[in-house]
Amino acid sequence: MGMISGLWRTMTLGTKSLLLHPMRSALTVLGIFIGVASVIWLLAIGEGISLEAQRQIASLGAQNIIVRTVKPPAEILGNARVASYGLRTEEFDMLVETIPQIARAVPIREIKRMISYGPNDIDGRLVGSTPDYFQATKLEVDRGRILNAADVEKRLDFCVLSKEVAQVLFPYQDPIGRRIFLPEHFDFYEVVGVLKHRTATAAIGGSFAAQDFTKDVYIPLTTMNLRIGSLVMSNRGGNLSGEEVELNQITLRVHRTEDVIPASQLIKDALRAHDKTMDVDTVVPLELLEQAKTTRLMFMVFMGLIAAVSLLVGGIGIMNIMLATVTERTREIGIRRALGARRTNIISQFLVETITLSVIGGIVGVIVGLLCPFFIVLGRDGLVKLLPEQMAVLPANVMEMEPTIVPISIPIAFGISVLVGIVFGIYPAIRAARMDPIEALRHE
């Protein structure tokens, strides 16, 4: 009972001492508060960015292998009037027939084209593919229907519009059943469906560019081959040149996740002939996902170390303030020692004061740290309104990132704040306890 009352007396005395200098105590608490909040905030931001990056990669499909055509360097293309490169249809057929792990294969051809309806037009992307493309890219129907196997087999002039293209071309009309126009080919396509909005995917490496689905018009691949073909000519500055590309991308889905790595190696071996021309690259989302998870751990450690510096600075602030307090209270220490206080009593009092400052700073830091998602989103929305052009150039994963509180960061940050109070409070406390009572009483 006596020990409890003694401890209570020490805590009361320490608290009263802190309240005698409220501004100084508040500034000391501020250092710890900033450190604790920094730990939680930086880890939350790092976790949010990491999860968004993983989401972007996962959206490509963990069981998918993506093979893309890449335009080779000018020195490889040479001066030919028609540049022929990339994936071939026979290569697509060869991969499907020879690699047993493949469950589904989706060929894709893309061309940038002007698309119009009446007075409205838009610079869009004409995408030729098969019905499996919509499932592979997680595109959902808003109105009408997607392309089906009969459309592909019969090479019909049907098309499906992205939501944004439909809004531009048909602001006041229902597009279903109407015919859009491609001036460069003098072709008409009947609209059979409109898709829901699909968030763009981030660029992943140099070979896989960001995928923006907002300006897409989808037609059967067989129809594109019949009406447009693989050769696209253009006239720039009076010089007629062209590019011949049969397929821009092949998305291959394997039966099981365990098949991804073996199948990707077989695909790379089968397309080894493209190594010299550097016009084909293979993206394996599963590998990228594993790399992203490893990078997350490194990123979290790095962000945690940065935040730890703030706590270190806060601890140094505590030590500085307590050393100054010891000097100011030399006479008080001498009186307490003369009245019978032991060195342990003096050490306990000063440790109580430093721990109290650390605990208060830690609690406030945790509360503010938990508000990180709210403040980050609010600040980002404010910057979008104030600086729309500058914010527009930021990567999609930064703009769409939602800070995610890492649960373990809360007890760690709070525990470190208390530890900082103990560690940086021990030296001033011991220094106070070692004072000679007679010399302390003589101090003015």
Side-chain angles (χ1 to χ4, degrees):
M1 188 70 180
M3 183 182 295
I4 296 175
S5 62
L7 181 60
W8 175 256
R9 205 164 39 244
T10 301
M11 293 178 64
T12 304
L13 186 61
T15 305
K16 287 181 179 179
S17 299
L18 293 175
L19 294 176
L20 289 174
H21 303 90
M23 181 59 70
R24 185 166 64 188
S25 299
L27 291 174
T28 308
V29 167
L30 181 64
I32 296 297
F33 144 67
I34 291 174
V36 172
S38 296
V39 171
I40 299 173
W41 277 50
L42 288 177
L43 292 181
I45 293 170
E47 181 76 351
I49 293 174
S50 175
L51 290 177
E52 180 62 25
Q54 291 180 48
R55 187 190 66 79
Q56 294 279 5
I57 296 171
S59 69
L60 301 176
Q63 291 179 246
N64 288 347
I65 301 168
I66 301 170
V67 187
R68 281 190 66 83
T69 289
V70 181
K71 188 171 183 178
E75 56 268 22
I76 293 179
L77 286 176
N79 298 319
R81 187 179 294 274
V82 176
S84 180
Y85 61 90
L87 294 163
R88 302 285 181 184
T89 304
E90 57 264 27
E91 290 174 327
F92 170 79
D93 295 333
M94 178 265 294
L95 291 175
V96 173
E97 292 170 4
T98 59
I99 300 179
Q101 293 96 331
I102 295 176
R104 183 178 65 199
V106 183
I108 303 164
R109 176 83 169 102
E110 305 166 354
I111 308 174
K112 290 184 178 180
R113 282 292 177 263
M114 174 71 73
I115 302 158
S116 64
Y117 178 80
N120 304 319
D121 56 60
I122 185 174
D123 286 320
R125 184 176 68 157
L126 192 65
V127 180
S129 190
T130 62
D132 287 337
Y133 178 79
F134 298 92
Q135 183 178 353
T137 53
K138 297 180 174 61
L139 293 169
E140 299 179 0
V141 178
D142 184 31
R143 282 177 287 173
R145 65 173 178 86
I146 61 172
L147 301 174
N148 57 38
D151 300 332
V152 176
E153 183 181 350
K154 297 179 181 179
R155 304 178 184 180
L156 299 178
D157 57 352
F158 289 162
C159 70
V160 176
L161 308 181
S162 67
K163 183 174 183 178
E164 289 74 9
V165 170
Q167 289 173 340
V168 172
L169 298 183
F170 303 94
Y172 309 109
Q173 298 168 294
D174 182 1
I176 305 300
R178 302 184 187 275
R179 298 176 68 82
I180 61 170
F181 179 56
L182 270 64
E184 291 171 273
H185 303 285
F186 208 80
D187 282 341
F188 290 89
Y189 293 90
E190 181 181 337
V191 179
V192 295
V194 176
L195 302 175
K196 295 179 181 178
H197 172 74
R198 169 72 159 84
T199 305
T201 61
I204 300 173
S207 62
F208 196 84
Q211 289 275 22
D212 183 6
F213 300 91
T214 60
K215 297 183 179 181
D216 286 357
V217 173
Y218 305 95
I219 64 174
L221 179 60
T222 52
T223 305
M224 178 179 280
N225 291 335
L226 175 67
R227 295 197 173 193
I228 299 175
S230 58
L231 179 61
V232 178
M233 303 298 294
S234 60
N235 192 339
R236 298 179 181 176
N239 295 322
L240 188 64
S241 61
E243 290 185 354
E244 185 178 15
V245 178
E246 292 187 15
L247 294 173
N248 291 91
Q249 178 177 309
I250 301 172
T251 300
L252 304 163
R253 185 175 180 85
V254 298
H255 292 283
R256 302 173 303 166
T257 306
E258 295 79 9
D259 296 330
V260 171
I261 303 303
S264 66
Q265 191 56 53
L266 290 174
I267 292 168
K268 291 175 183 177
D269 292 340
L271 300 175
R272 190 73 68 185
H274 290 276
D275 289 351
K276 292 183 179 179
T277 54
M278 295 187 294
D279 59 346
V280 169
D281 209 335
T282 304
V283 177
V284 184
L286 182 65
E287 290 180 348
L288 295 174
L289 199 57
E290 294 301 322
Q291 292 173 11
K293 291 177 180 178
T294 303
T295 304
R296 169 184 174 269
L297 294 177
M298 296 173 59
F299 193 55
M300 297 290 280
V301 170
F302 179 69
M303 297 289 268
L305 288 175
I306 293 176
V309 173
S310 298
L311 277 172
L312 179 63
V313 172
I316 293 172
I318 283 181
M319 180 181 284
N320 186 40
I321 292 297
M322 295 312 295
L323 285 172
T325 301
V326 169
T327 303
E328 288 179 0
R329 295 162 62 184
T330 301
R331 189 171 179 81
E332 174 197 330
I333 294 168
I335 293 172
R336 290 194 65 196
R337 290 298 308 277
L339 292 174
R342 291 173 296 178
R343 286 185 175 180
T344 54
N345 298 129
I346 303 299
I347 291 174
S348 298
Q349 180 184 342
F350 279 87
L351 278 180
V352 163
E353 292 181 21
T354 57
I355 293 172
T356 300
L357 292 172
S358 299
V359 168
I360 293 173
I363 292 173
V364 177
V366 167
I367 293 171
V368 175
L370 292 174
L371 295 175
C372 170
F374 171 76
F375 284 121
I376 292 295
V377 173
L378 184 66
R380 185 176 60 198
D381 292 344
L383 288 174
V384 169
K385 293 179 181 179
L386 291 174
L387 306 169
E389 296 180 1
Q390 290 81 351
M391 295 296 288
V393 300
L394 291 178
N397 59 342
V398 174
M399 291 300 297
E400 296 172 9
M401 179 271 298
E402 295 287 342
T404 303
I405 299 295
V406 181
I408 194 65
S409 68
I410 297 172
I412 287 177
F414 184 76
I416 291 176
S417 72
V418 176
L419 184 64
V420 162
I422 295 172
V423 171
F424 286 91
I426 285 176
Y427 175 70
I430 293 176
R431 182 175 173 180
R434 285 180 176 176
M435 282 186 177
D436 184 84
I438 297 174
E439 293 296 326
L441 286 169
R442 289 176 179 175
H443 184 78
E444 295 295 334

